Amino acid sequence: MKQEKSLLDLFQETNKGISRRLFLETCGASLVAAALPINLTKVFAADAVASAGHLTLTWSLDPKTTQTIAWSTAENSEKGSLQVIKTSIYKKSGWEKAVTIEADHELFKTNTENVMLHYATAVSLKPGTIYTYRVKIDDKWSEPLQFSTQPDKEDSFKFLVFGDSQSGLPKNPEYGPWKKTINNAYAAHPDAAFFMNVGDLVEVGQDYAHWKNWYAAAKDVIDKIPSMSVPGNHETYDVPEENHSVLPLYFKKQLHLPMNGPEALKGQVYSFDYGNTHFAVLDSQLEEEHSYVDHMLELQANWLDQDLTASKQEWKIVLFHKTPYYNKATRSNEQVKAVLTPVLDKHHVDLVINGHDHGYSRTYPIYQDTFVDAPAKGTVYLVSGRSGNKYYTDLSPKVWDAFFHDPQAEPNYVTITVNQKVLTINAYTQSGELIDVYSIDKQKQVDIPRTSLPEPSNNTLLVIWGNLLQTPLVAVPPQKISGIWHIPLRSFIEFIGGKIDGDSEGNIIASYQKTTVLLKLNATQANLNREAHTLTYPLTLLKGTAMISVDDIKTMFAFQSRYDKAMNMLFMVK
């Protein structure tokens, strides 16, 4: 077949006095499109190229041999099609030898408009190959784009990780910060094979205005590399009430992910392999979804146990939104931690990635809720920070953090590179400043920087919500009295945000949230919310400080306690 002359050739034949550089600067994108072996008149016809509402790559099947593509159009659009061809062939003969796949489609009735969703999966692709694709909308084709399949033997790969990209404003779908973060990240790391957003993609999950702006912000990335996302609590929020939760319908309708999770959570919980790494994605939204899915955490724990047992991959990475090891001031996720971490410990998951707190932190390796001195002995938990507009002002490093960064000044993102037996985490600010570097080398059985646990204190340390209380916050450290741990009552109440008053006769009034208790030194009788209450142990005076047992703290204020002998720390959390 005779090769058509490019627009550049034609232009230079008739305009020999104009330099190539000037031509490129003035024609820019038109040159790229026109140089392709397609009809030139269609390139410049404004109504001849279809424009999808959004175009998104995901994997629902094997990344080596398949690619799933989803797009949206107006509600009255015809059923769409996908065309795929090896880029090397496309450069020679255009779309002549392309494979055409008829898309599935579904009318999606949203809160703002009705749209037609189309999705198709190209199969029987060659591993390690660049493909060119386009989608058909009514009788028009979109501009050509490219994707790459996973190589058959992937010795090294990189993927991007984004924390919460939400706007932070329920009534204002502002995704400018997310646009800058994802585009800066991809521009700096064009070799990334895919990206993962660790939940709270949007502010209001059942508000299509937020999704449209999220897609628009990410459009130059999500159509080039797959997005393998994690559901967050904001994906469950309904319209118009931010705190009214439903199942994440909009998330599941639009993002076509592997359907290998538990039956009740398909499309929200899934796993896949890439290279020598196994990825498992969970849904941690117990508070928001428990009324829709019975025993949802236990269901996932059982599934995860089977999923990890079946995996023979070198690396195991698990992602879910809410944080077992958090960096918010007083927000813990104890049920999520209690149900899921035993499975993570059992299978020695290498890395757990979370979102939710909008801070960046990396823990010491942890096994059975205890810090260990090497990643070979435990799991590293990474809180990924924020990639969008919303930030918190009450973040702080916790006792389990080997590294902490507060991204109030600007959003951040993470890259993770797996090179055979070495996994490397790099965290960057939105503008590209390196925040953190950490690697695990399984071959040499070391991590860099080396894990260095804090030396145990001679006195038992009091830790509340992961925060270490020291002098002058704690006048007297936790003490065992008659074999039971006691803590300074005033230090505890004031730190958790309660109020405490006393008189010269030994009467003490302590209040926190909806609980008010009247206590008396050396007495086992108390008044709890105006009702008689018997303490397990009498309130004791030690070095001028009223000490109360952790058992009574649990009964009155619902705080759990755990003593860590290795670190000589008494942990308390609600």
Side-chain angles (χ1 to χ4, degrees):
M1 184 174 69
K2 185 178 180 180
Q3 181 73 32
E4 292 184 19
K5 289 185 177 180
S6 73
L7 182 60
L8 177 58
D9 295 327
L10 296 172
F11 187 92
Q12 289 183 329
E13 285 178 6
T14 56
N15 298 274
K16 295 182 180 179
I18 299 179
S19 69
R20 179 184 180 91
R21 178 180 178 182
L22 177 59
F23 177 80
L24 291 173
E25 290 176 347
T26 54
C27 291
S30 298
L31 168 64
V32 177
L36 300 175
I38 56 178
N39 190 326
L40 292 177
T41 59
K42 290 188 176 182
V43 173
F44 299 100
D47 62 347
V49 177
S51 177
H54 69 79
L55 194 58
T56 310
L57 303 180
T58 58
W59 288 308
S60 56
L61 299 170
D62 186 356
K64 291 181 182 178
T65 59
T66 72
Q67 181 64 68
T68 298
I69 300 167
W71 64 99
S72 66
T73 62
E75 64 175 307
N76 58 353
S77 298
E78 298 176 2
K79 182 184 291 188
S81 299
L82 166 69
Q83 276 193 339
V84 176
I85 186 172
K86 286 183 181 179
T87 298
S88 58
I89 298 175
Y90 169 75
K91 288 179 178 178
K92 297 177 181 178
S93 57
W95 296 104
E96 182 181 338
K97 297 181 180 179
V99 173
T100 301
I101 304 159
E102 186 175 299
D104 292 316
H105 71 297
E106 177 183 7
L107 182 63
F108 185 31
K109 297 181 179 180
T110 80
N111 65 308
T112 61
E113 62 191 282
N114 295 338
V115 295
M116 190 67 73
L117 299 179
H118 310 259
Y119 53 96
T121 298
V123 298
S124 301
L125 304 178
K126 298 295 183 182
T129 304
I130 301 173
Y131 284 87
T132 296
Y133 76 96
R134 63 179 180 174
V135 300
K136 190 176 184 181
I137 302 167
D138 296 328
D139 61 343
K140 301 177 181 66
W141 289 99
S142 67
E143 294 283 9
L145 291 161
Q146 293 181 346
F147 66 81
S148 299
T149 52
Q150 176 196 330
D152 200 22
K153 292 184 178 180
E154 182 67 284
D155 293 331
S156 178
F157 71 94
K158 177 192 293 182
F159 64 99
L160 300 169
V161 177
F162 298 103
D164 308 46
S165 55
Q166 67 198 97
S167 70
L169 304 165
K171 295 182 179 180
N172 181 7
E174 168 53 57
Y175 290 87
W178 161 236
K179 178 178 181 177
K180 187 173 181 180
T181 304
I182 189 171
N183 280 277
N184 284 8
Y186 185 66
H189 306 276
D191 55 337
F194 58 97
F195 77 87
M196 306 194 77
N197 189 312
V198 198
D200 285 4
L201 284 70
V202 296
E203 184 68 24
V204 184
Q206 271 56 242
D207 186 349
Y208 193 63
H210 283 268
W211 282 101
K212 283 183 71 173
N213 285 9
W214 186 90
Y215 283 123
K219 71 174 294 292
D220 292 326
V221 180
I222 57 176
D223 54 10
K224 295 179 178 66
I225 59 173
S227 166
M228 305 299 286
S229 293
V230 179
N233 53 297
H234 279 259
E235 270 67 70
T236 71
Y237 292 156
D238 204 354
V239 178
E241 300 169 286
E242 178 185 355
N243 293 323
H244 177 238
S245 300
V246 297
L247 290 173
L249 173 65
Y250 284 33
F251 178 94
K252 293 173 64 175
K253 285 281 188 183
Q254 298 175 94
L255 302 176
H256 295 272
L257 299 164
M259 298 295 284
N260 58 354
E263 188 64 37
L265 294 166
K266 287 187 182 297
Q268 300 163 240
V269 175
Y270 62 93
S271 66
F272 68 98
D273 289 340
Y274 194 96
N276 63 349
T277 304
H278 183 71
F279 295 86
V281 171
L282 306 177
D283 185 334
S284 59
Q285 281 57 258
L286 177 65
E287 180 182 354
E288 293 80 13
E289 298 179 46
H290 70 90
S291 61
Y292 304 101
V293 182
D294 291 336
H295 308 290
M296 67 173 292
L297 289 182
E298 290 78 9
L299 187 69
Q300 292 179 79
N302 292 334
W303 173 84
L304 182 64
D305 187 19
Q306 297 173 27
D307 179 73
L308 294 176
T309 298
S311 176
K312 305 304 179 185
Q313 302 298 89
E314 180 73 43
W315 298 93
K316 296 180 177 65
I317 298 176
V318 176
L319 303 97
F320 51 95
H321 183 62
K322 293 186 177 179
T323 49
Y325 296 96
Y326 43 90
N327 48 52
K328 279 276 286 176
T330 61
R331 184 170 71 184
S332 65
N333 303 288
E334 294 305 297
Q335 286 181 282
V336 171
K337 179 180 177 181
V339 176
L340 298 182
T341 55
V343 183
L344 304 174
D345 289 337
K346 176 182 176 180
H347 295 279
H348 187 197
V349 169
D350 299 288
L351 179 65
V352 171
I353 306 176
N354 305 119
H356 197 47
D357 287 352
H358 298 235
Y360 176 86
S361 58
R362 171 174 52 80
T363 70
Y364 303 112
I366 295 175
Y367 178 72
Q368 294 185 348
D369 208 19
T370 299
F371 314 153
V372 291
D373 60 8
K377 300 178 183 179
T379 298
V380 173
Y381 291 78
L382 186 78
V383 183
S384 53
R386 64 155 180 134
S387 59
N389 192 45
K390 184 178 178 180
Y391 63 88
Y392 292 123
T393 58
D394 62 346
L395 305 180
S396 63
K398 307 298 184 184
V399 294
W400 45 71
D401 286 333
F403 183 87
F404 169 80
H405 169 76
D406 187 346
Q408 284 191 54
E410 62 175 312
N412 71 284
Y413 66 92
V414 180
T415 68
I416 297 179
T417 303
V418 180
N419 188 355
Q420 297 183 29
K421 288 184 175 291
V422 180
L423 181 149
T424 302
I425 299 167
N426 287 275
Y428 299 89
T429 64
Q430 183 190 69
S431 56
E433 180 184 351
L434 186 62
I435 299 170
D436 179 36
V437 180
Y438 177 72
S439 64
I440 301 171
D441 189 329
K442 288 191 176 184
Q443 187 72 44
K444 297 179 180 178
Q445 292 290 297
V446 297
D447 58 348
I448 303 172
R450 290 285 187 96
T451 295
S452 178
L453 299 179
E455 290 291 329
S457 171
N458 291 329
N459 294 320
T460 301
L461 301 175
L462 179 60
V463 179
I464 303 176
W465 276 309
N467 302 287
L468 181 62
L469 275 66
Q470 296 176 298
T471 307
L473 294 178
V474 177
V476 177
Q479 302 282 322
K480 271 196 170 182
I481 301 174
S482 301
I484 300 300
W485 282 107
H486 284 63
I487 62 171
L489 177 61
R490 178 175 293 277
S491 298
F492 172 78
I493 292 295
E494 290 182 341
F495 186 81
I496 65 175
K499 295 181 179 179
I500 185 167
D501 292 298
D503 60 28
S504 58
E505 298 180 0
N507 296 307
I508 298 174
I509 297 178
S511 60
Y512 172 67
Q513 295 180 345
K514 296 180 180 180
T515 299
T516 299
V517 59
L518 173 62
L519 305 129
K520 189 174 182 64
L521 285 172
N522 301 317
T524 56
Q525 294 300 309
N527 185 294
L528 180 62
N529 291 335
R530 299 186 178 182
E531 294 185 4
H533 176 77
T534 301
L535 299 176
T536 308
Y537 301 94
L539 193 66
T540 303
L541 195 65
L542 181 65
K543 297 180 181 179
T545 300
M547 306 290 285
I548 190 168
S549 77
V550 294
D551 290 354
D552 289 313
I553 289 290
K554 179 179 179 180
T555 301
M556 295 186 295
F557 298 105
F559 275 76
Q560 306 286 335
S561 64
R562 177 183 69 84
Y563 175 65
D564 188 315
K565 182 178 180 180
M567 301 306 300
N568 196 16
M569 292 179 179
L570 182 65
F571 288 84
M572 304 198 69
V573 67
K574 182 178 182 180

